[in-house]
Amino acid sequence: MRTKRNEKFYRYESHSGNDTHVMLPEQIDELPLTVIGAKAFLSCRTVERLELPDTLEQIEDWAFSHMKNLRELVFPPKEIQFGKKVFLGCDSLERISLRGVKDQYEGIPFFLASMVKWMSEMPVELVLAGDPQGQWEWLDTYDRALLDFLDKPDDVGFEPAFIGWFHVEDVDDQKQDYIVERRKCKIRLALQRLRYPEGASQNIQRQLGEFLLGAGENQDGTRNCESSRMASLFLELCRVEGYGQDIRYFQIWQHIGGFALYSPQFLLEQLPEADPEVRGFLMNCSLSQERKDDFFEGMEL
């Protein structure tokens, strides 16, 4: 650790060390640590949890950029001045928690983290409110920004990486990969908001559900290609990113009408390694669907 002494405060300039959990002190030599300097933690790959002191007032440009393994940040519940691209490249960030504030709304730490991680281009300020009313007011802003983010074309922000000799096809491949990853990001955010629906209106939840289903049908009543793509990406997240181990995501899938795209039986066949509770839920849903079909077949007879 290197710090720079000022007449009234200490400025944290750069971090060194191999600790995975770092708690910055409130004071050094009886002076408050109030500023984290530009690039102080740039490209630090060891820290997974970082706790910031109550004395903190300012975080300068790129302070936490490219902390690839950072999963949780703990802030004091107060207004803090943020510089540019503070969280750029924090790919593993999952939670932003507020010290001393009870997690009355379970999803808030996840929403804060996702906002700085995925929605940096959205006009939403990072609000570290310590009171329930402040959290609700911020959630309204978050939901509006989220829907706007989901509505933007998936190629927004794409910039090809030109390395050596390249062809137009190479750029096309890069763009296609970017679009797929962007769409996965949007699906994660929509699922996360429905997973923690605190303060989300019925209209918000309906719009999120429609997005996840690639809402829309062809003239003959069949689902459009967008629906198939969305369902395929949902299945991929279940297979490789742990969604298949959480029953809540399958309850969401059922609630929004996802079984019209992928039936419970199909999901069972495609997810042999799913959590036992998830498989039990899908089996029950499949049996219920079969009983319903048998009932209507009997009525026709």
Side-chain angles (χ1 to χ4, degrees):
M1 176 184 72
R2 294 203 306 271
T3 57
K4 182 176 181 180
R5 181 169 180 163
N6 188 284
E7 292 181 359
K8 297 182 179 180
F9 63 88
Y10 260 83
R11 169 194 176 96
Y12 195 93
E13 288 199 310
S14 66
H15 178 78
S16 61
N18 298 317
D19 293 336
T20 58
H21 179 185
V22 173
M23 181 185 299
L24 295 184
E26 291 189 0
Q27 292 188 337
I28 298 177
D29 293 339
E30 299 183 354
L31 292 177
L33 196 164
T34 62
V35 179
I36 295 179
K39 304 180 182 179
F41 285 84
L42 178 65
S43 298
C44 175
R45 294 179 178 270
T46 57
V47 179
E48 297 177 6
R49 188 171 193 267
L50 176 60
E51 295 191 45
L52 305 176
D54 290 342
T55 51
L56 185 65
E57 297 178 0
Q58 181 180 0
I59 301 175
E60 296 184 345
D61 301 349
W62 302 289
F64 304 136
S65 292
H66 300 291
M67 295 182 71
K68 296 298 185 182
N69 295 313
L70 181 65
R71 296 187 177 278
E72 182 174 5
L73 270 168
V74 181
F75 280 93
K78 61 185 290 189
E79 183 176 347
I80 293 174
Q81 181 180 348
F82 291 90
K84 296 182 301 183
K85 299 184 178 181
V86 170
F87 304 98
L88 178 68
C90 292
D91 299 333
S92 300
L93 186 60
E94 297 175 349
R95 295 172 59 93
I96 291 180
S97 304
L98 305 180
R99 183 184 299 105
V101 177
K102 183 179 179 181
D103 289 337
Q104 185 174 357
Y105 308 125
E106 187 179 6
I108 291 293
F110 298 98
F111 302 150
L112 287 170
S114 67
M115 188 270 290
V116 303
K117 178 181 174 184
W118 297 115
M119 299 170 65
S120 58
E121 68 266 34
M122 296 292 98
V124 186
E125 294 183 4
L126 178 60
V127 178
L128 304 175
D131 62 284
Q133 184 62 34
Q135 299 288 29
W136 286 121
E137 292 174 353
W138 181 80
L139 275 180
D140 290 339
T141 304
Y142 175 85
D143 286 338
R144 290 194 297 271
L146 174 58
L147 291 177
D148 184 57
F149 180 75
L150 298 182
D151 192 51
K152 287 184 179 296
D154 293 332
D155 60 356
V156 168
F158 170 71
E159 295 182 1
F162 297 130
I163 303 175
W165 183 256
F166 65 93
H167 299 280
V168 174
E169 291 82 0
D170 298 329
V171 176
D172 291 341
D173 289 343
Q174 288 184 40
K175 186 173 183 179
Q176 207 48 48
D177 291 343
Y178 178 89
I179 288 173
V180 170
E181 289 306 313
R182 180 88 166 185
R183 182 53 60 95
K184 286 182 184 178
C185 159
K186 291 181 175 181
I187 292 174
R188 294 185 195 101
L189 287 172
L191 285 172
Q192 178 178 262
R193 189 64 179 105
L194 292 173
R195 173 69 176 82
Y196 302 103
E198 301 101 324
S201 67
Q202 291 297 317
N203 183 50
I204 293 291
Q205 295 184 54
R206 176 185 59 78
Q207 291 182 72
L208 292 175
E210 289 176 352
F211 169 79
L212 287 170
L213 294 181
E217 294 183 347
N218 299 316
Q219 291 183 349
D220 60 1
T222 59
R223 292 282 180 175
N224 57 31
C225 294
E226 183 64 15
S227 295
S228 299
R229 283 193 290 267
M230 295 296 283
S232 177
L233 289 174
F234 170 75
L235 181 59
E236 183 176 343
L237 292 179
C238 291
R239 283 172 171 160
V240 302
E241 294 194 17
Y243 287 72
Q245 307 307 314
D246 190 335
I247 190 175
R248 185 71 182 112
Y249 293 115
F250 294 90
Q251 292 171 336
I252 291 171
W253 187 248
Q254 178 191 40
H255 179 71
I256 66 177
F259 286 159
L261 297 177
Y262 282 164
S263 69
Q265 184 58 42
F266 178 81
L267 290 172
L268 276 170
E269 294 169 356
Q270 296 298 313
L271 300 170
E273 304 299 325
D275 180 83
E277 186 179 19
V278 169
R279 292 187 62 80
F281 172 75
L282 292 174
M283 286 178 185
N284 287 333
C285 290
S286 181
L287 290 173
S288 297
Q289 186 64 53
E290 290 177 4
R291 286 194 292 268
K292 180 179 178 182
D293 292 342
D294 289 344
F295 173 78
F296 284 109
E297 288 177 6
M299 292 291 288
E300 290 175 4
L301 290 173

